[in-house]
Structure formats: C-alpha cells, structure tokens
Amino acid sequence: METKIRDVCREFKIKGEYLSYEEITIGNVNKTYKVNFRNDDGSVSSYVVQEVNTYVFKSPEQVMENIANVTEFIHSKKPDELSLHYYHTIDHKTYIFDKTGFWRLFNYIPSATYNVCDDLEIVCNAGTAFGEFQMLLSDFDASKLHETIPHFHNTIKRYEKLIADANDDPCGRLKEVKEELEWLLSVKDKACTMTRMRNNGELPLRVTHNDTKINNVLFDKKTKKALVVIDLDTVMPGLVGHDFGDAIRFATNYVEEDCKDYEKAGVNLDVFTAFTKGFIKQTVHTLTENELNTLALGGFVLACELSTRFLDDYIIGDKYFKIRYPEHNLVRTRCQIALAKDMLTKMDRMNEIVMTFAKQYR
Ligand code: GN1
Ligand code: MG
C-alpha cells in the first residue's frame, strides 16, 4: 500500500520528502489515508489520499464533477470559508483512474471530528453547519448535478431490494435475521412515509448533502466552531428531512452506530434539542409546513433505511459496506433498529422540540 500511496502523491505532483502515512478509519465505503511530507524549509505538510469505492460509486468521475461544481458555488458565496482542495494530476485531472482503482488527493485540515458527542455547543454548531450548507445550495441549479447513486434515499426501493435479496438468500443467512427482518417489515409503511410524500409532490426536492453524519463536519479544536462540511460524494437532489434525519440518527444516539451493546442505543433528547436549534435557525424561513412536520420523523425513517441497507448487505454477503468482523453489518442493523424503536417512543417530544424552535426563529 505504501508504494501505491507514494505513486499517487507523485502523480498529484506533491513536493517534498515523503515521511509516512496512516489510515483514517472513519467512513464505511471509501479508504482514506493521511500522508505526511517534509517540505524544503523543514516544515511538514499533510495530505489526504482517498481510494473511492467503485462498487458504490459506479461513475466516480461524475462524483468529482458534482463536488467541483458545488464547492465552486459555495466558494463564490463565501470566499473566506475553508474548503477541501482537490489536487490536479500532471494531465489536469482531479483523479487517477487505473486498474488499481480510483484515487484522489486533497489538503489535510487539522481539526477535531466526533463519532459521538455530548458537548451541546459542538452539536448545535453541527446543526448550524448542515443547515447553512443546505441554505447555501438553495439556489443551486439541481439539473447540473449527476445522480451518482440513483434512488439513494428512496426508502421504498431500499425495502424492495431487501425483500428481493431476503427471498434469494444467497448466503443462507436469512435464518439468523428473521426477527430483524420481521420488525423492519412491520414498520415499512411508516418508514416509507417521506418517499411516498415526495412521490405525491407533498415534499419539495432540494439539493441536499445526503450523508450528514456529525463526523462529516470538521471542527476547530479550540473554538468548537464548525470549519467545513466535508464528504460531498453524495450531494444530490433530495429531501431536507433526509439530511436532518440522518444527522439525528447518528448524532443523537447514545452509542456509536455499530455498538455491540445495541440495547444502549437511543435518542439523547438534549443532543436532539441542540442540533435542532442550530439547524432550524438556519433553515426555518424556507421550510414548508410538511417539511417541518416530517423533520423528526426523518430520524426514524433514516434509522429504518440504514437498517434495511445494513441488513441487506449482511444477507448478500457484505458487498457494500466495509466490515471489520463477520457480523459487523448485523450488529449495525440491530443497533439501528434499537435506535428506531426508541425514536418511536420519543417522536411526540421530538416534534414538540422542532415546533418550539420553528416558532422561536420564524
Ligand atoms: C456510508 O462511508 P460513509 O461513512 O461516508 C454511506 C452512508 C451511510 C453511512 C453509514 C455512499 O457513509 O449512506 O449513511 O455509511 N455512504 C454511501 O455510516 O453509501
Ligand atoms: Mg459519505
């Protein structure tokens, strides 16, 4: 791997003396490495090298085109805001696509990231960052975007795939997951509410981030302010409730999304309140009533959707998500189901919190 990483850096014209590399293990699909170089003046510069997962992203060139367009658009509105800068190769491309894979390289931003966080100031700043991200893109021409993963947050299609793969049962794993599958099917109707509303024209399509985990925001270690929203791979047309919901299902969970003690999974309402405050303050003036009314539901929808995706991947033999041990996708499924169940019991309270901030900031 080291030789490949050094080759990639050379192709991206990185100057200086190569020192070392380490894997950054955050992220469930791409492979990410931090690489360190010594400059001529003795200082050290770090870069991020990423191998994009081409099983997941079938047209990675289109992903790069989307990122370039969106980053440029945000930069034109907020020129002083930090952003990831993708380096160019000798032949002026922002990627290398060869038989070893699809590679890209960008600047490393020293910062703090969180997988779980109960510092309410940081959580509120994350809500602000994702809310602002959405607002900055509110007049972005969505027809310029490639749909890099078709039907990404189409919960109905996610369920259809799960059911079809469970029927095929290619790895003989169905017998282990009967209970999980049964529960997911029992809430299918509710979990598909937002997709149905979208199909009926009751929810507007916007340009959304689509992967709003709190670890996709880089924070200043000292001030706790959000520095930049990263991982723009899945920026596509989508629903605001997807972005809010995905953030909620990840950030408000008492435990990490793949915690083996899944009975500990659940919504921390203080964290929910803090995130909601930041998000609503940014977005409230553009949200429709239907959007507001489905924000909290979005958390449940996304927890169910992720459960179907993790469970489906387990059933088909772990093809999509990186796993660190054989039952990893099953553990992820169980943890998301436990979270979804807890969300059902707290849904009224979550809706009240959304409405309180909506009134306050309107
Ligand atoms: C994947 O790789 P990462 O962590 O950025 C996935 C998301 C899931 C997430 C679950 C392209 O994101 O949709 O919510 O794992 N990304 C893709 O942790 O499928
Ligand atoms: Mg991602």
Side-chain angles (χ1 to χ4, degrees):
M1 186 47 73
E2 189 163 34
T3 315
K4 180 65 203 174
I5 287 175
R6 293 179 71 161
D7 284 351
V8 168
C9 291
R10 199 170 310 121
E11 287 203 48
F12 279 108
K13 301 180 284 186
I14 299 304
K15 294 200 183 70
E17 178 200 347
Y18 168 84
L19 293 175
S20 60
Y21 86 98
E22 68 214 71
E23 184 164 359
I24 297 176
T25 52
I26 295 180
N28 287 332
V29 298
N30 296 331
K31 287 195 185 128
T32 310
Y33 307 90
K34 180 183 175 206
V35 194
N36 308 305
F37 279 77
R38 195 190 316 279
N39 303 314
D40 290 346
D41 64 4
S43 62
V44 173
S45 292
S46 299
Y47 306 88
V48 179
V49 167
Q50 228 174 13
E51 185 189 355
V52 175
N53 183 329
T54 51
Y55 178 84
V56 169
F57 296 104
K58 308 280 187 215
S59 309
E61 300 98 328
Q62 295 190 345
V63 171
M64 296 311 288
E65 229 179 284
N66 280 358
I67 293 175
N69 277 330
V70 166
T71 311
E72 196 185 308
F73 189 81
I74 293 179
H75 183 71
S76 69
K77 287 189 172 179
K78 294 195 83 179
D80 297 333
E81 185 137 313
L82 269 179
S83 64
L84 298 186
H85 166 68
Y86 286 88
Y87 282 65
H88 286 78
T89 61
I90 297 148
D91 36 322
H92 315 291
K93 290 205 174 102
T94 52
Y95 55 84
I96 301 165
F97 201 2
D98 59 22
K99 58 181 183 314
T100 68
F102 188 98
W103 301 85
R104 59 190 180 191
L105 185 149
F106 50 91
N107 52 322
Y108 174 81
I109 299 180
S111 54
T113 50
Y114 304 91
N115 284 335
V116 271
C117 179
D118 51 14
D119 181 324
L120 300 182
E121 190 183 339
I122 291 174
V123 175
C124 181
N125 289 343
T128 306
F130 281 127
E132 188 191 24
F133 182 86
Q134 175 122 163
M135 286 305 97
L136 285 168
L137 292 178
S138 58
D139 55 344
F140 184 87
D141 177 4
S143 69
K144 276 194 186 157
L145 285 176
H146 301 288
E147 201 181 356
T148 48
I149 305 183
H151 311 297
F152 191 57
H153 282 310
N154 185 322
T155 321
I156 297 177
K157 289 207 186 289
R158 294 288 186 186
Y159 264 97
E160 282 170 3
K161 180 164 171 8
L162 172 65
I163 293 166
D165 288 334
N167 282 334
D168 286 350
D169 192 18
C171 305
R173 290 178 168 180
L174 189 62
K175 54 186 178 306
E176 295 167 51
V177 302
K178 284 250 156 76
E179 208 178 298
E180 290 76 14
L181 185 61
E182 207 171 287
W183 188 82
L184 280 171
L185 293 177
S186 75
V187 295
K188 178 166 173 266
D189 230 39
K190 195 174 178 77
C192 293
T193 309
M194 281 164 51
T195 304
R196 235 178 4 254
M197 288 177 76
R198 157 74 201 126
N199 291 346
N200 295 337
E202 294 167 70
L203 289 171
L205 213 49
R206 300 182 181 275
V207 175
T208 45
H209 181 280
N210 291 311
D211 191 7
T212 47
K213 305 198 287 193
I214 196 173
N215 61 19
N216 277 333
V217 183
L218 305 186
F219 292 92
D220 185 304
K221 281 182 185 152
K222 285 205 188 95
T223 66
K224 302 185 183 179
K225 289 260 181 305
L227 294 170
V228 58
V229 170
I230 60 163
D231 189 0
L232 308 187
D233 291 344
T234 46
V235 172
M236 281 182 281
L239 304 181
V240 66
H242 292 147
D243 273 5
F244 183 84
D246 204 15
I248 285 310
R249 69 124 200 125
F250 193 84
T252 71
N253 198 349
Y254 287 114
V255 294
E256 292 201 31
E257 79 176 357
D258 57 355
C259 177
K260 287 183 179 168
D261 287 333
Y262 33 81
E263 59 284 353
K264 292 196 181 128
V267 179
N268 179 334
L269 284 173
D270 293 335
V271 174
F272 180 88
T273 305
F275 185 90
T276 305
K277 180 178 180 194
F279 191 88
I280 298 261
K281 193 171 179 186
Q282 292 292 320
T283 55
V284 72
H285 297 292
T286 55
L287 296 182
T288 65
E289 278 311 299
N290 278 348
E291 284 181 311
L292 264 181
N293 290 333
T294 49
L295 285 185
L297 177 70
F300 173 77
V301 167
L302 266 291
C304 292
E305 192 182 286
L306 254 300
S307 307
T308 66
R309 294 176 63 194
F310 290 144
L311 184 57
D312 178 63
D313 206 32
Y314 185 69
I315 288 173
I316 65 171
D318 310 303
K319 293 193 177 350
Y320 189 101
F321 294 105
K322 289 192 282 184
I323 53 164
R324 285 193 297 279
Y325 53 91
E327 311 80 37
H328 201 163
N329 272 319
L330 187 53
V331 167
R332 287 168 170 150
T333 307
R334 289 179 173 153
C335 193
Q336 289 303 295
I337 288 180
L339 175 68
K341 286 180 178 169
D342 188 62
M343 282 188 174
L344 282 182
T345 69
K346 293 177 180 160
M347 193 53 69
D348 290 346
R349 187 68 199 108
M350 285 168 25
N351 272 316
E352 273 168 31
I353 294 165
V354 167
M355 291 312 158
T356 306
F357 286 120
K359 273 199 205 105
Q360 185 177 329
Y361 292 124
R362 256 196 178 145

mmCIF file of all heavy atoms in Angstrom, residues 26-30 56-57 149 152-153 158 210-211 213 215-216 231 233-234 246 249-250 257 306 309-310 320-321, ligand 1:
data_model
loop_
_atom_site.group_PDB
_atom_site.id
_atom_site.type_symbol
_atom_site.label_atom_id
_atom_site.label_comp_id
_atom_site.label_asym_id
_atom_site.label_seq_id
_atom_site.Cartn_x
_atom_site.Cartn_y
_atom_site.Cartn_z
ATOM 1 N N ILE A 26 -12.314 6.440 9.732
ATOM 2 C CA ILE A 26 -13.686 6.949 9.632
ATOM 3 C C ILE A 26 -14.182 6.728 8.202
ATOM 4 O O ILE A 26 -13.424 6.894 7.257
ATOM 5 C CB ILE A 26 -13.726 8.458 9.965
ATOM 6 C CG1 ILE A 26 -13.342 8.670 11.429
ATOM 7 C CG2 ILE A 26 -15.102 9.053 9.692
ATOM 8 C CD1 ILE A 26 -13.350 10.123 11.856
ATOM 9 N N GLY A 27 -15.448 6.361 8.059
ATOM 10 C CA GLY A 27 -16.005 6.165 6.712
ATOM 11 C C GLY A 27 -16.225 4.691 6.451
ATOM 12 O O GLY A 27 -15.380 3.862 6.769
ATOM 13 N N ASN A 28 -17.382 4.387 5.874
ATOM 14 C CA ASN A 28 -17.753 2.987 5.690
ATOM 15 C C ASN A 28 -17.654 2.498 4.262
ATOM 16 O O ASN A 28 -17.940 1.334 3.991
ATOM 17 C CB ASN A 28 -19.197 2.768 6.171
ATOM 18 C CG ASN A 28 -19.279 2.818 7.674
ATOM 19 O OD1 ASN A 28 -18.316 2.512 8.358
ATOM 20 N ND2 ASN A 28 -20.419 3.228 8.200
ATOM 21 N N VAL A 29 -17.281 3.382 3.340
ATOM 22 C CA VAL A 29 -17.174 2.887 1.966
ATOM 23 C C VAL A 29 -15.805 3.170 1.318
ATOM 24 O O VAL A 29 -15.181 2.251 0.793
ATOM 25 C CB VAL A 29 -18.346 3.367 1.049
ATOM 26 C CG1 VAL A 29 -19.685 2.851 1.541
ATOM 27 C CG2 VAL A 29 -18.401 4.858 0.897
ATOM 28 N N ASN A 30 -15.338 4.418 1.364
ATOM 29 C CA ASN A 30 -14.039 4.723 0.754
ATOM 30 C C ASN A 30 -12.899 4.381 1.706
ATOM 31 O O ASN A 30 -13.106 4.249 2.912
ATOM 32 C CB ASN A 30 -13.964 6.216 0.406
ATOM 33 C CG ASN A 30 -14.988 6.611 -0.632
ATOM 34 O OD1 ASN A 30 -15.377 5.798 -1.469
ATOM 35 N ND2 ASN A 30 -15.450 7.850 -0.568
ATOM 36 N N VAL A 56 -19.559 1.092 -4.994
ATOM 37 C CA VAL A 56 -20.593 2.011 -4.508
ATOM 38 C C VAL A 56 -20.830 3.144 -5.516
ATOM 39 O O VAL A 56 -21.969 3.453 -5.854
ATOM 40 C CB VAL A 56 -20.162 2.584 -3.134
ATOM 41 C CG1 VAL A 56 -21.053 3.736 -2.712
ATOM 42 C CG2 VAL A 56 -20.156 1.483 -2.084
ATOM 43 N N PHE A 57 -19.743 3.762 -5.946
ATOM 44 C CA PHE A 57 -19.843 4.872 -6.905
ATOM 45 C C PHE A 57 -19.465 4.354 -8.285
ATOM 46 O O PHE A 57 -18.280 4.240 -8.609
ATOM 47 C CB PHE A 57 -18.936 6.030 -6.477
ATOM 48 C CG PHE A 57 -19.333 6.653 -5.171
ATOM 49 C CD1 PHE A 57 -18.623 6.392 -4.008
ATOM 50 C CD2 PHE A 57 -20.436 7.486 -5.098
ATOM 51 C CE1 PHE A 57 -19.006 6.950 -2.793
ATOM 52 C CE2 PHE A 57 -20.821 8.056 -3.889
ATOM 53 C CZ PHE A 57 -20.106 7.784 -2.739
ATOM 54 N N ILE A 149 -25.687 8.100 -7.125
ATOM 55 C CA ILE A 149 -26.241 6.810 -6.689
ATOM 56 C C ILE A 149 -27.760 6.938 -6.829
ATOM 57 O O ILE A 149 -28.413 7.570 -5.995
ATOM 58 C CB ILE A 149 -25.859 6.464 -5.230
ATOM 59 C CG1 ILE A 149 -24.335 6.497 -5.054
ATOM 60 C CG2 ILE A 149 -26.422 5.086 -4.852
ATOM 61 C CD1 ILE A 149 -23.854 6.101 -3.667
ATOM 62 N N PHE A 152 -30.962 7.055 -3.943
ATOM 63 C CA PHE A 152 -30.157 6.870 -2.731
ATOM 64 C C PHE A 152 -31.011 6.818 -1.470
ATOM 65 O O PHE A 152 -30.854 5.931 -0.647
ATOM 66 C CB PHE A 152 -29.123 8.003 -2.651
ATOM 67 C CG PHE A 152 -28.078 7.781 -1.601
ATOM 68 C CD1 PHE A 152 -27.290 6.643 -1.627
ATOM 69 C CD2 PHE A 152 -27.868 8.719 -0.594
ATOM 70 C CE1 PHE A 152 -26.309 6.422 -0.664
ATOM 71 C CE2 PHE A 152 -26.887 8.512 0.369
ATOM 72 C CZ PHE A 152 -26.113 7.371 0.334
ATOM 73 N N HIS A 153 -31.896 7.802 -1.300
ATOM 74 C CA HIS A 153 -32.756 7.795 -0.105
ATOM 75 C C HIS A 153 -34.199 7.442 -0.464
ATOM 76 O O HIS A 153 -35.140 7.957 0.137
ATOM 77 C CB HIS A 153 -32.705 9.151 0.611
ATOM 78 C CG HIS A 153 -31.465 9.343 1.429
ATOM 79 N ND1 HIS A 153 -31.015 8.405 2.336
ATOM 80 C CD2 HIS A 153 -30.572 10.359 1.475
ATOM 81 C CE1 HIS A 153 -29.905 8.842 2.898
ATOM 82 N NE2 HIS A 153 -29.607 10.024 2.395
ATOM 83 N N ARG A 158 -35.371 0.794 -1.224
ATOM 84 C CA ARG A 158 -34.473 0.089 -0.278
ATOM 85 C C ARG A 158 -35.178 -1.146 0.272
ATOM 86 O O ARG A 158 -34.587 -2.212 0.400
ATOM 87 C CB ARG A 158 -34.069 1.015 0.867
ATOM 88 C CG ARG A 158 -33.211 2.207 0.429
ATOM 89 C CD ARG A 158 -31.813 1.797 0.053
ATOM 90 N NE ARG A 158 -30.954 2.931 -0.228
ATOM 91 C CZ ARG A 158 -29.718 2.820 -0.692
ATOM 92 N NH1 ARG A 158 -29.192 1.623 -0.930
ATOM 93 N NH2 ARG A 158 -28.994 3.884 -0.932
ATOM 94 N N ASN A 210 -26.919 14.577 1.937
ATOM 95 C CA ASN A 210 -27.241 13.151 1.918
ATOM 96 C C ASN A 210 -26.343 12.233 2.750
ATOM 97 O O ASN A 210 -26.484 11.008 2.665
ATOM 98 C CB ASN A 210 -27.311 12.620 0.473
ATOM 99 C CG ASN A 210 -28.503 13.188 -0.257
ATOM 100 O OD1 ASN A 210 -29.614 13.160 0.261
ATOM 101 N ND2 ASN A 210 -28.289 13.737 -1.439
ATOM 102 N N ASP A 211 -25.425 12.799 3.500
ATOM 103 C CA ASP A 211 -24.601 11.945 4.375
ATOM 104 C C ASP A 211 -24.174 12.796 5.574
ATOM 105 O O ASP A 211 -22.993 13.046 5.793
ATOM 106 C CB ASP A 211 -23.385 11.413 3.613
ATOM 107 C CG ASP A 211 -22.665 10.324 4.381
ATOM 108 O OD1 ASP A 211 -23.175 9.883 5.431
ATOM 109 O OD2 ASP A 211 -21.581 9.909 3.931
ATOM 110 N N LYS A 213 -23.638 12.817 8.701
ATOM 111 C CA LYS A 213 -23.137 12.340 9.993
ATOM 112 C C LYS A 213 -22.273 13.441 10.606
ATOM 113 O O LYS A 213 -21.578 14.165 9.877
ATOM 114 C CB LYS A 213 -22.298 11.087 9.772
ATOM 115 C CG LYS A 213 -23.072 10.016 9.030
ATOM 116 C CD LYS A 213 -22.451 8.668 9.172
ATOM 117 C CE LYS A 213 -21.178 8.515 8.360
ATOM 118 N NZ LYS A 213 -20.769 7.104 8.289
ATOM 119 N N ASN A 215 -19.589 13.304 11.940
ATOM 120 C CA ASN A 215 -18.161 13.189 11.613
ATOM 121 C C ASN A 215 -17.850 13.689 10.196
ATOM 122 O O ASN A 215 -16.694 13.657 9.768
ATOM 123 C CB ASN A 215 -17.625 11.775 11.851
ATOM 124 C CG ASN A 215 -18.292 10.718 11.007
ATOM 125 O OD1 ASN A 215 -18.912 11.019 9.994
ATOM 126 N ND2 ASN A 215 -18.182 9.471 11.432
ATOM 127 N N ASN A 216 -18.859 14.188 9.503
ATOM 128 C CA ASN A 216 -18.612 14.861 8.234
ATOM 129 C C ASN A 216 -18.538 16.383 8.403
ATOM 130 O O ASN A 216 -18.637 17.140 7.436
ATOM 131 C CB ASN A 216 -19.667 14.481 7.191
ATOM 132 C CG ASN A 216 -19.323 13.152 6.516
ATOM 133 O OD1 ASN A 216 -18.139 12.785 6.442
ATOM 134 N ND2 ASN A 216 -20.315 12.424 6.057
ATOM 135 N N ASP A 231 -17.083 15.512 2.762
ATOM 136 C CA ASP A 231 -17.700 14.340 2.145
ATOM 137 C C ASP A 231 -18.897 14.722 1.273
ATOM 138 O O ASP A 231 -20.049 14.423 1.592
ATOM 139 C CB ASP A 231 -18.124 13.313 3.207
ATOM 140 C CG ASP A 231 -18.572 12.000 2.568
ATOM 141 O OD1 ASP A 231 -18.542 11.914 1.322
ATOM 142 O OD2 ASP A 231 -18.957 11.081 3.298
ATOM 143 N N ASP A 233 -19.553 13.560 -1.569
ATOM 144 C CA ASP A 233 -19.732 12.498 -2.583
ATOM 145 C C ASP A 233 -21.185 12.273 -2.961
ATOM 146 O O ASP A 233 -21.486 11.863 -4.074
ATOM 147 C CB ASP A 233 -19.181 11.161 -2.056
ATOM 148 C CG ASP A 233 -17.677 11.189 -1.943
ATOM 149 O OD1 ASP A 233 -17.051 12.089 -2.528
ATOM 150 O OD2 ASP A 233 -17.127 10.312 -1.255
ATOM 151 N N THR A 234 -22.078 12.482 -2.016
ATOM 152 C CA THR A 234 -23.481 12.142 -2.285
ATOM 153 C C THR A 234 -24.369 13.386 -2.396
ATOM 154 O O THR A 234 -25.586 13.286 -2.244
ATOM 155 C CB THR A 234 -24.042 11.213 -1.187
ATOM 156 O OG1 THR A 234 -23.667 11.737 0.082
ATOM 157 C CG2 THR A 234 -23.517 9.806 -1.334
ATOM 158 N N ASP A 246 -30.798 11.996 8.963
ATOM 159 C CA ASP A 246 -29.547 11.237 9.020
ATOM 160 C C ASP A 246 -28.648 11.807 10.120
ATOM 161 O O ASP A 246 -27.981 11.061 10.849
ATOM 162 C CB ASP A 246 -28.841 11.316 7.655
ATOM 163 C CG ASP A 246 -27.904 10.131 7.434
ATOM 164 O OD1 ASP A 246 -28.007 9.127 8.174
ATOM 165 O OD2 ASP A 246 -27.068 10.206 6.516
ATOM 166 N N ARG A 249 -30.124 10.634 13.487
ATOM 167 C CA ARG A 249 -29.966 9.212 13.821
ATOM 168 C C ARG A 249 -28.511 8.925 14.193
ATOM 169 O O ARG A 249 -28.213 7.992 14.915
ATOM 170 C CB ARG A 249 -30.475 8.294 12.722
ATOM 171 C CG ARG A 249 -29.675 8.279 11.451
ATOM 172 C CD ARG A 249 -29.181 6.936 11.026
ATOM 173 N NE ARG A 249 -28.064 7.164 10.107
ATOM 174 C CZ ARG A 249 -26.871 6.651 10.257
ATOM 175 N NH1 ARG A 249 -26.580 5.858 11.253
ATOM 176 N NH2 ARG A 249 -25.924 6.945 9.384
ATOM 177 N N PHE A 250 -27.602 9.740 13.722
ATOM 178 C CA PHE A 250 -26.192 9.496 14.041
ATOM 179 C C PHE A 250 -25.767 10.255 15.299
ATOM 180 O O PHE A 250 -25.224 9.671 16.226
ATOM 181 C CB PHE A 250 -25.325 9.924 12.847
ATOM 182 C CG PHE A 250 -23.909 9.430 12.930
ATOM 183 C CD1 PHE A 250 -23.586 8.155 12.501
ATOM 184 C CD2 PHE A 250 -22.901 10.227 13.446
ATOM 185 C CE1 PHE A 250 -22.280 7.678 12.578
ATOM 186 C CE2 PHE A 250 -21.591 9.768 13.537
ATOM 187 C CZ PHE A 250 -21.290 8.495 13.099
ATOM 188 N N GLU A 257 -22.862 3.990 15.900
ATOM 189 C CA GLU A 257 -23.880 3.301 15.094
ATOM 190 C C GLU A 257 -23.651 1.799 14.992
ATOM 191 O O GLU A 257 -24.542 1.060 14.594
ATOM 192 C CB GLU A 257 -24.006 3.937 13.702
ATOM 193 C CG GLU A 257 -22.960 3.537 12.725
ATOM 194 C CD GLU A 257 -23.151 4.097 11.329
ATOM 195 O OE1 GLU A 257 -24.138 4.787 11.030
ATOM 196 O OE2 GLU A 257 -22.257 3.839 10.518
ATOM 197 N N LEU A 306 -31.327 2.864 7.047
ATOM 198 C CA LEU A 306 -29.991 2.311 7.286
ATOM 199 C C LEU A 306 -30.076 0.855 7.728
ATOM 200 O O LEU A 306 -29.264 0.030 7.321
ATOM 201 C CB LEU A 306 -29.248 3.151 8.342
ATOM 202 C CG LEU A 306 -28.125 4.060 7.845
ATOM 203 C CD1 LEU A 306 -27.025 3.245 7.160
ATOM 204 C CD2 LEU A 306 -28.625 5.090 6.853
ATOM 205 N N ARG A 309 -30.504 -1.225 4.767
ATOM 206 C CA ARG A 309 -29.271 -1.286 3.959
ATOM 207 C C ARG A 309 -28.233 -2.193 4.603
ATOM 208 O O ARG A 309 -27.579 -2.991 3.926
ATOM 209 C CB ARG A 309 -28.704 0.130 3.770
ATOM 210 C CG ARG A 309 -29.599 1.029 2.943
ATOM 211 C CD ARG A 309 -29.042 2.439 2.869
ATOM 212 N NE ARG A 309 -27.750 2.466 2.203
ATOM 213 C CZ ARG A 309 -26.925 3.513 2.235
ATOM 214 N NH1 ARG A 309 -27.264 4.618 2.896
ATOM 215 N NH2 ARG A 309 -25.766 3.481 1.613
ATOM 216 N N PHE A 310 -28.057 -2.061 5.917
ATOM 217 C CA PHE A 310 -27.078 -2.915 6.606
ATOM 218 C C PHE A 310 -27.519 -4.379 6.552
ATOM 219 O O PHE A 310 -26.720 -5.277 6.309
ATOM 220 C CB PHE A 310 -26.913 -2.482 8.077
ATOM 221 C CG PHE A 310 -26.201 -1.153 8.268
ATOM 222 C CD1 PHE A 310 -26.578 -0.270 9.289
ATOM 223 C CD2 PHE A 310 -25.139 -0.786 7.455
ATOM 224 C CE1 PHE A 310 -25.918 0.941 9.478
ATOM 225 C CE2 PHE A 310 -24.463 0.430 7.633
ATOM 226 C CZ PHE A 310 -24.868 1.287 8.654
ATOM 227 N N TYR A 320 -21.184 -4.099 0.141
ATOM 228 C CA TYR A 320 -21.237 -2.641 0.005
ATOM 229 C C TYR A 320 -20.414 -1.938 1.092
ATOM 230 O O TYR A 320 -19.495 -1.179 0.798
ATOM 231 C CB TYR A 320 -22.710 -2.208 0.067
ATOM 232 C CG TYR A 320 -22.977 -0.758 -0.267
ATOM 233 C CD1 TYR A 320 -23.456 -0.387 -1.527
ATOM 234 C CD2 TYR A 320 -22.775 0.245 0.681
ATOM 235 C CE1 TYR A 320 -23.711 0.948 -1.826
ATOM 236 C CE2 TYR A 320 -23.018 1.577 0.382
ATOM 237 C CZ TYR A 320 -23.492 1.923 -0.869
ATOM 238 O OH TYR A 320 -23.741 3.240 -1.158
ATOM 239 N N PHE A 321 -20.750 -2.209 2.343
ATOM 240 C CA PHE A 321 -20.080 -1.517 3.453
ATOM 241 C C PHE A 321 -18.801 -2.263 3.858
ATOM 242 O O PHE A 321 -18.787 -3.500 3.854
ATOM 243 C CB PHE A 321 -21.009 -1.429 4.666
ATOM 244 C CG PHE A 321 -22.216 -0.569 4.439
ATOM 245 C CD1 PHE A 321 -23.468 -1.133 4.231
ATOM 246 C CD2 PHE A 321 -22.111 0.819 4.418
ATOM 247 C CE1 PHE A 321 -24.589 -0.337 4.012
ATOM 248 C CE2 PHE A 321 -23.226 1.627 4.202
ATOM 249 C CZ PHE A 321 -24.458 1.045 4.001
HETATM 250 C C1 GN1 B 1 -21.630 5.401 4.318
HETATM 251 O O1 GN1 B 1 -18.715 5.972 4.080
HETATM 252 P P1 GN1 B 1 -19.528 6.951 4.825
HETATM 253 O O2 GN1 B 1 -19.324 6.757 6.278
HETATM 254 O O3 GN1 B 1 -19.290 8.356 4.372
HETATM 255 C C2 GN1 B 1 -22.813 5.548 3.367
HETATM 256 C C3 GN1 B 1 -23.921 6.370 4.036
HETATM 257 C C4 GN1 B 1 -24.322 5.727 5.337
HETATM 258 C C5 GN1 B 1 -23.104 5.574 6.222
HETATM 259 C C6 GN1 B 1 -23.437 4.850 7.484
HETATM 260 C C7 GN1 B 1 -22.193 6.424 -0.219
HETATM 261 O O4 GN1 B 1 -21.071 6.674 4.505
HETATM 262 O O5 GN1 B 1 -25.040 6.419 3.185
HETATM 263 O O6 GN1 B 1 -25.276 6.508 5.994
HETATM 264 O O7 GN1 B 1 -22.051 4.846 5.541
HETATM 265 N N1 GN1 B 1 -22.374 6.193 2.149
HETATM 266 C C8 GN1 B 1 -22.725 5.724 0.959
HETATM 267 O O8 GN1 B 1 -22.439 5.064 8.412
HETATM 268 O O9 GN1 B 1 -23.458 4.754 0.833
#
